[in-house]
Amino acid sequence: MPYVAVSAISHPGLLRERNEDSLVVGPWTLCATVTENPQSLVFPLGTPLVVAVADGLGGHPGGDVASALVVRRIASLGPALSSEVAVRDALNACNRAVYQAAGGDEGGALSAMGTTVAGVVVLPGSLLAFNVGDSRVFAVSRDGLRQVSVDDSPPHPAGSITSLVTQCLGGSPTYRAVQPHVRAESLEPGVRYLVCSDGLTDAVKEDVLDEILREHDDGRAAFELWKAAIEAGGPDNITVAVVRVGDE
């Protein structure tokens, strides 16, 4: 029977006081907390399965609240995310929900809280990749890494690890619409997907990510990716999910 195996880890890194990343894998959510070891889950391939990372905006209040709200909403909507239109509608609904939770036009202590989001929806024979912000999705094959998400951020200045996003969910004291990036991919044999926050990609170069993913799979791959980010200084929250479709 075809199945989807997902291995994930989430950690605050070495410099942040708390973890503002959240994660959703099907009905399972991990919200602004810490995993000491990768968590591995297996699902039958059939009903749409969503795997996504939300990275709460640093420097804004309530980043952890925003990321948790988004992954919980995506978890509840996941089984209905069978088309690009459905994914876009869900992300737009999340954007409005974050804005309303921040106090709407009245503002409040959580005004301008926001989060990025990136993920995949695994379907029989195809996959939908999506993002708003600079969290990323990569396809992993024998040919190497291929980014399938679209960064909503300008290039970093030399030597800087500060991320500036041009769109996110929430993040503004007044409501702003978003234009989610959504694309369909065919499910090719042997291709895996990496979903991660920028705490991984800002710290670790793509050639290192590629090398790790060529050598390791599943939980060991997630662990080694996290370890590489920590060894690079762990400057930000690190959340990683490795998605693999099998047929045994």
Side-chain angles (χ1 to χ4, degrees):
M1 171 183 283
Y3 65 89
V4 185
V6 184
S7 297
I9 190 168
S10 188
H11 190 276
L14 299 179
L15 301 183
R16 303 293 190 189
E17 292 184 1
R18 58 183 178 178
N19 190 5
E20 295 189 318
D21 287 358
S22 294
L23 172 74
V24 54
V25 180
W28 182 78
T29 58
L30 186 69
C31 297
T33 186
V34 179
T35 52
E36 296 294 337
N37 296 291
Q39 308 296 304
S40 295
L41 301 167
V42 178
F43 303 86
L45 179 62
T47 301
L49 178 74
V50 63
V51 180
V53 169
D55 179 355
L57 294 187
H60 290 235
D64 54 339
V65 177
S67 69
L69 184 159
V70 166
V71 300
R72 287 170 177 152
R73 182 169 286 253
I74 289 175
S76 69
L77 296 172
L81 300 181
S82 57
S83 69
E84 294 183 44
V85 171
V87 172
R88 288 193 178 92
D89 288 348
L91 294 175
N92 280 302
C94 286
N95 184 42
R96 289 189 176 277
V98 172
Y99 171 71
Q100 292 296 333
D105 292 335
E106 300 299 320
L110 297 180
S111 179
M113 75 173 181
T115 182
T116 69
V117 68
V120 297
V121 182
V122 185
L123 306 164
S126 65
L127 175 144
L128 302 172
F130 62 87
N131 77 287
V132 178
D134 59 356
S135 293
R136 289 181 176 176
V137 178
F138 294 91
V140 185
S141 71
R142 288 185 295 271
D143 296 328
L145 288 182
R146 174 174 57 88
Q147 184 174 336
V148 295
S149 56
V150 179
D151 291 342
D152 288 315
S153 63
H156 289 189
S160 172
I161 60 169
T162 301
S163 295
L164 299 173
V165 294
T166 54
Q167 69 167 353
C168 59
L169 304 179
S172 171
T174 57
Y175 176 76
R176 293 189 301 185
V178 294
Q179 295 183 328
H181 305 284
V182 186
R183 63 181 293 173
E185 296 259 314
S186 60
L187 275 185
E188 301 293 339
V191 177
R192 293 168 291 158
Y193 286 85
L194 169 64
V195 181
C196 60
S197 60
D198 66 352
L200 176 67
T201 52
D202 285 350
V204 184
K205 294 181 179 179
E206 284 191 21
D207 61 341
V208 177
L209 301 180
D210 182 35
E211 181 180 349
I212 291 170
L213 287 161
R214 285 180 185 275
E215 187 173 349
H216 303 291
D217 210 342
D218 296 342
R220 183 61 186 270
F223 175 81
E224 294 293 339
L225 291 167
W226 166 80
K227 181 181 174 184
I230 291 295
E231 290 177 345
D236 200 355
N237 304 156
I238 307 155
T239 301
V240 174
V242 178
V243 182
R244 176 176 62 84
V245 177
D247 57 5
E248 295 181 359

